[in-house]
Amino acid sequence: MVADWEPAFRALLAARGDALRSYAYLLTGDASTAGDLVQEALTRVFSRRRIGGDVNELEAYVRRAMLNQYIDSRRRLRRWNATRHLLVDLPHHDDDRLAVADDVRRALATLSSKQRACVVLRYYEDLPVSEIADELGCAEGTVKRHLADARAKLATQLGVTEESTP
Amino acid sequence: MTTDLRELLRTTAAEAGNTVDLAEEAVAERIRHRRARSRRLAIGGTALAAAVVIAGTTWAVRPGDGHPPAASGPTAAAVPPRIVTSDVDNLSGMEAALQATLTTDANGCVRPAAQSDVVLVWPRGYTVRGDSTSFEILDAANKVVARSGTPITMGGGGADRFQPTWTGRDCATGGPLWMVGGISARR
């Protein structure tokens, strides 16, 4: 017997699976970790006893779960990340488009988890600062500070022009 | 910067479609498993809540002094205590928890005091000694694992139906079956 959650689960992945993949990939910068992040968030959200059928609402829950999980896991893995480059060769691509993506991933990897989340939410998801603050559970001023710090780092590494306001 | 960075992020995100695996079927299976497990835990939680509420008003527990404390309630001391045992030697590996104080019903069947409809199913080889007002449960090696009147926490979980290979069918009231797992003193 198909439980109520399953049609909603299938519908969400059919409609928004790609968007969730992209979001996770930008947060983590690694396909395997991104897969784990989405899978765990889906498992958490759909393991709840009561699941609504609205895809947009479910997507919001899954994204929120991914974000929380990403920030928590980054805290735990901070030490590993600090030394990871000594042990793992980050992939290198000759293709121009892939090489750009490599550069972006490397640059994003230098940001703190909250800076990175702010950048992804602001410049990829196009969320206003107020909504980012809501997502992260912090003040708008904190988000602006994270964005400013992140932009300063990315401006140097990616050679893009820094703007004065988010 | 806004425009450039947006483009760069889109370029990077485009890689995700081919490389990030959502493992849809595996995730669906994991969700099924977790939902089933949380249903079992919910049963245990409900039982626990009922135990806390009813235990304070219905049953009195006498502290022990090395001897098994007496179970109180509508029991007859003349009826020897009995337990239901399964055909499995090991304690249940399920992870729910049931907090209870053991007593016996009018037929001598050992039950959680506050949830008299719950049927406790002990591993094969477990026995009970004493009388229906003061008894001990012993494991297959004759080690005492629980005493009447002493609050304990029992691990384990629910079972669907009473199996023909189990003993003590007359103690099965039709209420929930609890496969007894690890036992510890209630904190």
Side-chain angles (χ1 to χ4, degrees):
Chain A
M1 189 180 75
V2 178
D4 289 338
W5 62 270
E6 195 156 352
F9 172 76
R10 304 287 181 191
L12 173 65
L13 290 195
R16 303 298 299 159
D18 284 345
L20 294 174
R21 280 189 183 95
S22 299
Y23 183 50
Y25 190 63
L26 285 177
L27 284 177
T28 62
D30 170 76
S32 170
T33 313
D36 290 346
L37 185 68
V38 187
Q39 290 169 29
E40 182 54 29
L42 287 167
T43 305
R44 283 190 189 187
V45 169
F46 283 91
S47 294
R48 292 175 188 162
R49 293 184 74 184
R50 289 181 186 155
I51 299 294
D54 184 282
V55 168
N56 291 332
E57 215 169 72
L58 288 169
E59 183 187 2
Y61 286 141
V62 172
R63 282 173 182 266
R64 175 67 69 94
M66 286 164 63
L67 188 60
N68 291 340
Q69 229 170 281
Y70 162 70
I71 289 172
D72 287 349
S73 65
R74 277 288 295 256
R75 275 193 205 111
R76 288 195 297 272
L77 294 174
R78 193 172 291 156
R79 182 174 296 175
W80 159 246
N81 284 335
T83 53
R84 180 171 178 251
H85 65 285
L86 301 174
L87 307 171
V88 179
D89 286 334
L90 294 174
H92 175 77
H93 294 106
D94 291 328
D95 177 288
D96 280 351
R97 195 174 53 84
L98 295 178
V100 168
D102 283 349
D103 289 343
V104 174
R105 283 191 293 112
R106 283 173 204 273
L108 289 174
T110 65
L111 305 180
S112 74
S113 58
K114 289 205 172 172
Q115 287 171 351
R116 184 170 184 154
C118 287
V119 166
V120 173
L121 291 170
R122 180 76 188 96
Y123 297 112
Y124 182 70
E125 298 292 336
D126 278 331
L127 292 188
V129 168
S130 58
E131 283 186 33
I132 298 172
D134 191 42
E135 285 285 321
L136 293 173
C138 62
E140 289 185 29
T142 308
V143 172
K144 288 178 183 170
R145 182 168 52 77
H146 284 319
L147 285 170
D149 292 345
R151 282 198 310 271
K153 283 186 188 175
L154 296 177
T156 310
Q157 297 179 72
L158 296 175
V160 286
T161 313
E162 192 178 352
E163 64 173 8
S164 56
T165 55
Chain B
M1 177 177 184
T2 307
T3 305
D4 287 342
L5 185 52
R6 285 198 169 110
E7 282 170 10
L8 291 173
L9 290 174
R10 273 190 214 107
T11 304
T12 307
E15 284 189 337
N18 300 326
T19 55
V20 178
D21 180 13
L22 297 187
E24 186 171 337
E25 292 310 318
V27 172
E29 186 54 41
R30 208 184 309 160
I31 293 167
R32 268 183 220 109
H33 177 76
R34 284 202 188 179
R35 290 176 71 87
R37 187 176 159 202
S38 71
R39 267 199 303 275
R40 289 198 299 270
L41 288 171
I43 291 170
T46 305
L48 170 62
V52 169
V53 172
I54 299 171
T57 55
T58 309
W59 303 92
V61 177
R62 194 175 70 198
D65 55 357
H67 301 291
S72 58
T75 59
V79 181
R82 292 176 296 147
I83 58 173
V84 175
T85 57
S86 74
D87 53 358
V88 177
D89 293 328
N90 301 320
L91 289 162
S92 167
M94 288 186 275
E95 297 174 354
L98 174 64
Q99 295 195 332
T101 301
L102 298 181
T103 187
T104 56
D105 64 15
N107 297 317
C109 298
V110 173
R111 300 193 184 284
Q115 302 142 269
S116 56
D117 61 329
V118 173
V119 179
L120 300 175
V121 183
W122 301 84
R124 178 163 58 192
Y126 276 50
T127 53
V128 55
R129 75 179 175 202
D131 59 44
S132 57
T133 58
S134 177
F135 59 85
E136 294 172 327
I137 306 289
L138 299 96
D139 65 14
N142 278 332
K143 181 185 162 201
V144 175
V145 294
R147 291 188 171 93
S148 56
T150 302
I152 55 173
T153 298
M154 286 185 285
D160 292 335
R161 56 183 170 272
F162 198 99
Q163 301 296 327
T165 49
W166 296 353
T167 68
R169 173 170 283 281
D170 53 333
C171 286
T173 54
L177 298 166
W178 184 267
M179 306 301 294
V180 176
I183 297 172
S184 56
R186 195 192 302 177
R187 282 177 290 180

